[in-house]
Coordinates of all heavy atoms in Angstrom, one line a residue:
A1 N -13.8 -20.0 -3.9 CA -15.1 -19.7 -4.4 C -16.1 -19.4 -3.3 O -16.9 -18.5 -3.3 CB -15.6 -20.8 -5.3
V2 N -15.9 -20.1 -2.2 CA -16.8 -19.9 -1.0 C -16.6 -18.6 -0.4 O -17.5 -17.8 -0.1 CB -16.5 -21.0 0.0 CG1 -17.2 -20.7 1.4 CG2 -17.0 -22.4 -0.5
W3 N -15.3 -18.2 -0.2 CA -15.0 -16.9 0.4 C -15.5 -15.7 -0.6 O -15.9 -14.7 -0.1 CB -13.5 -16.7 0.6 CG -13.1 -17.4 1.9 CD1 -12.5 -18.7 2.0 CD2 -13.2 -16.9 3.2 NE1 -12.3 -19.0 3.3 CE2 -12.7 -17.9 4.1 CE3 -13.8 -15.8 3.8 CZ2 -12.7 -17.8 5.5 CZ3 -13.7 -15.6 5.2 CH2 -13.2 -16.6 6.0
D4 N -15.4 -15.9 -1.9 CA -15.9 -14.9 -2.8 C -17.4 -14.7 -2.6 O -17.9 -13.6 -2.6 CB -15.6 -15.4 -4.3 CG -15.9 -14.3 -5.3 OD1 -15.7 -13.1 -5.0 OD2 -16.3 -14.7 -6.4
A5 N -18.1 -15.9 -2.5 CA -19.6 -15.8 -2.3 C -19.9 -15.1 -0.9 O -20.8 -14.3 -0.8 CB -20.2 -17.2 -2.3
V6 N -19.2 -15.5 0.1 CA -19.4 -15.0 1.5 C -19.2 -13.4 1.5 O -20.1 -12.7 2.0 CB -18.5 -15.6 2.5 CG1 -18.5 -14.9 3.8 CG2 -18.9 -17.1 2.7
A7 N -18.2 -13.0 0.9 CA -17.9 -11.5 0.8 C -19.0 -10.8 0.0 O -19.5 -9.7 0.4 CB -16.5 -11.2 0.3
K8 N -19.4 -11.4 -1.1 CA -20.5 -10.8 -1.9 C -21.8 -10.8 -1.2 O -22.5 -9.8 -1.3 CB -20.6 -11.6 -3.2 CG -19.5 -11.4 -4.2 CD -19.6 -12.3 -5.4 CE -18.5 -12.1 -6.4 NZ -18.5 -13.2 -7.5
I9 N -22.1 -11.8 -0.4 CA -23.4 -11.8 0.3 C -23.3 -10.7 1.4 O -24.3 -10.0 1.6 CB -23.6 -13.2 1.0 CG1 -23.9 -14.3 0.0 CG2 -24.7 -13.1 2.1 CD1 -23.9 -15.7 0.5
E10 N -22.2 -10.5 1.9 CA -22.0 -9.4 2.9 C -21.9 -8.0 2.3 O -21.9 -7.0 3.0 CB -20.8 -9.7 3.8 CG -20.9 -9.0 5.1 CD -20.1 -9.7 6.2 OE1 -20.3 -10.9 6.4 OE2 -19.4 -9.0 7.0
G11 N -21.7 -8.0 0.9 CA -21.7 -6.7 0.2 C -20.4 -6.0 0.4 O -20.4 -4.7 0.4
K12 N -19.3 -6.7 0.6 CA -18.0 -6.1 0.9 C -16.9 -6.7 0.0 O -17.0 -7.9 -0.5 CB -17.5 -6.3 2.3 CG -18.4 -5.7 3.4 CD -17.9 -6.1 4.8 CE -18.7 -5.5 5.9 NZ -18.2 -5.9 7.2
P13 N -15.8 -5.9 -0.3 CA -14.6 -6.6 -0.8 C -14.1 -7.6 0.2 O -14.2 -7.4 1.4 CB -13.6 -5.4 -1.0 CG -14.4 -4.2 -1.0 CD -15.6 -4.5 -0.1
L14 N -13.5 -8.7 -0.3 CA -13.0 -9.7 0.6 C -12.0 -9.1 1.5 O -11.9 -9.5 2.7 CB -12.4 -10.9 -0.2 CG -11.8 -12.0 0.7 CD1 -12.8 -12.6 1.6 CD2 -11.2 -13.1 -0.2
F15 N -11.1 -8.2 1.0 CA -10.1 -7.6 1.9 C -10.7 -6.9 3.1 O -10.2 -6.9 4.2 CB -9.1 -6.7 1.1 CG -9.7 -5.5 0.4 CD1 -10.1 -4.4 1.1 CD2 -9.8 -5.6 -0.9 CE1 -10.6 -3.3 0.5 CE2 -10.3 -4.4 -1.6 CZ -10.7 -3.3 -0.9
Q16 N -11.9 -6.2 2.9 CA -12.5 -5.5 4.0 C -13.2 -6.5 5.0 O -13.1 -6.3 6.2 CB -13.6 -4.6 3.4 CG -14.3 -3.7 4.5 CD -13.3 -2.8 5.2 OE1 -12.7 -2.0 4.5 NE2 -13.1 -3.0 6.5
L17 N -13.8 -7.6 4.4 CA -14.4 -8.6 5.3 C -13.3 -9.2 6.2 O -13.5 -9.4 7.4 CB -15.0 -9.7 4.5 CG -15.8 -10.8 5.2 CD1 -17.0 -11.2 4.5 CD2 -14.8 -12.0 5.3
L18 N -12.1 -9.5 5.6 CA -11.0 -10.1 6.4 C -10.5 -9.1 7.5 O -10.2 -9.5 8.6 CB -9.9 -10.5 5.5 CG -10.2 -11.7 4.5 CD1 -9.0 -11.9 3.6 CD2 -10.6 -12.9 5.2
A19 N -10.4 -7.9 7.1 CA -9.9 -6.9 8.1 C -10.9 -6.7 9.2 O -10.5 -6.6 10.4 CB -9.7 -5.6 7.4
D20 N -12.2 -6.8 8.9 CA -13.2 -6.7 9.9 C -13.2 -7.9 10.8 O -13.4 -7.7 12.0 CB -14.6 -6.5 9.2 CG -14.8 -5.2 8.5 OD1 -14.0 -4.3 8.8 OD2 -15.7 -5.1 7.7
R21 N -13.1 -9.1 10.3 CA -13.2 -10.3 11.1 C -11.9 -10.7 11.8 O -12.0 -11.2 12.9 CB -13.6 -11.5 10.2 CG -15.0 -11.3 9.6 CD -15.5 -12.7 9.0 NE -16.8 -12.6 8.4 CZ -17.5 -13.6 7.9 NH1 -16.9 -14.8 7.8 NH2 -18.7 -13.4 7.4
Y22 N -10.8 -10.4 11.2 CA -9.5 -10.9 11.7 C -8.5 -9.8 12.0 O -7.4 -10.2 12.4 CB -9.0 -12.0 10.8 CG -9.9 -13.1 10.5 CD1 -10.6 -13.1 9.3 CD2 -10.2 -14.1 11.4 CE1 -11.5 -14.2 9.0 CE2 -11.1 -15.1 11.1 CZ -11.8 -15.1 9.9 OH -12.7 -16.1 9.6
G23 N -8.8 -8.6 11.7 CA -7.9 -7.5 11.9 C -8.5 -6.4 12.7 O -9.4 -6.5 13.5
D24 N -8.0 -5.2 12.3 CA -8.5 -4.0 13.0 C -9.5 -3.2 12.2 O -9.9 -2.1 12.5 CB -7.3 -3.0 13.3 CG -6.6 -2.6 12.1 OD1 -7.0 -2.9 10.9 OD2 -5.6 -1.8 12.2
G25 N -10.0 -3.8 11.1 CA -11.0 -3.2 10.3 C -10.5 -2.2 9.3 O -11.3 -1.6 8.5
K26 N -9.2 -2.1 9.2 CA -8.6 -1.1 8.3 C -7.6 -1.8 7.4 O -6.4 -2.0 7.7 CB -7.8 -0.1 9.1 CG -8.7 0.7 10.1 CD -7.8 1.7 10.9 CE -8.7 2.5 11.9 NZ -7.9 3.4 12.7
P27 N -8.1 -2.3 6.2 CA -7.2 -3.0 5.3 C -6.2 -2.0 4.6 O -6.5 -0.8 4.6 CB -8.2 -3.5 4.2 CG -9.4 -2.6 4.3 CD -9.5 -2.2 5.7
N28 N -5.1 -2.5 4.2 CA -4.2 -1.7 3.4 C -4.3 -2.1 2.0 O -3.8 -3.1 1.5 CB -2.7 -2.0 3.9 CG -1.7 -1.2 3.2 OD1 -2.1 -0.3 2.3 ND2 -0.4 -1.4 3.4
R29 N -5.0 -1.3 1.2 CA -5.3 -1.6 -0.2 C -4.1 -1.4 -1.1 O -4.2 -1.8 -2.3 CB -6.5 -0.7 -0.7 CG -7.8 -1.0 0.0 CD -8.8 0.1 -0.3 NE -9.0 0.3 -1.7 CZ -9.4 1.5 -2.2 NH1 -9.8 2.5 -1.4 NH2 -9.5 1.6 -3.5
K30 N -3.1 -0.8 -0.6 CA -1.9 -0.6 -1.4 C -0.9 -1.8 -1.2 O -0.4 -1.9 -0.1 CB -1.2 0.7 -1.1 CG -0.1 1.1 -2.0 CD 0.5 2.5 -1.7 CE 1.6 2.9 -2.7 NZ 2.2 4.2 -2.3

């Protein structure tokens, strides 16, 4: 629930937030 709130506050899907913070910024949505 915390991560859901954090991503919503940032205005992003959680998968995008994770890719931005811990990856190369390019999530694989498939």
Side-chain angles (χ1 to χ4, degrees):
V2 168
W3 282 98
D4 187 36
V6 166
K8 288 173 179 173
I9 290 170
E10 202 152 313
K12 297 178 179 179
L14 179 59
F15 61 75
Q16 184 64 60
L17 182 143
L18 295 177
D20 290 343
R21 292 190 179 185
Y22 305 104
D24 61 3
K26 300 176 182 177
N28 182 4
R29 293 169 53 204
K30 188 176 181 180

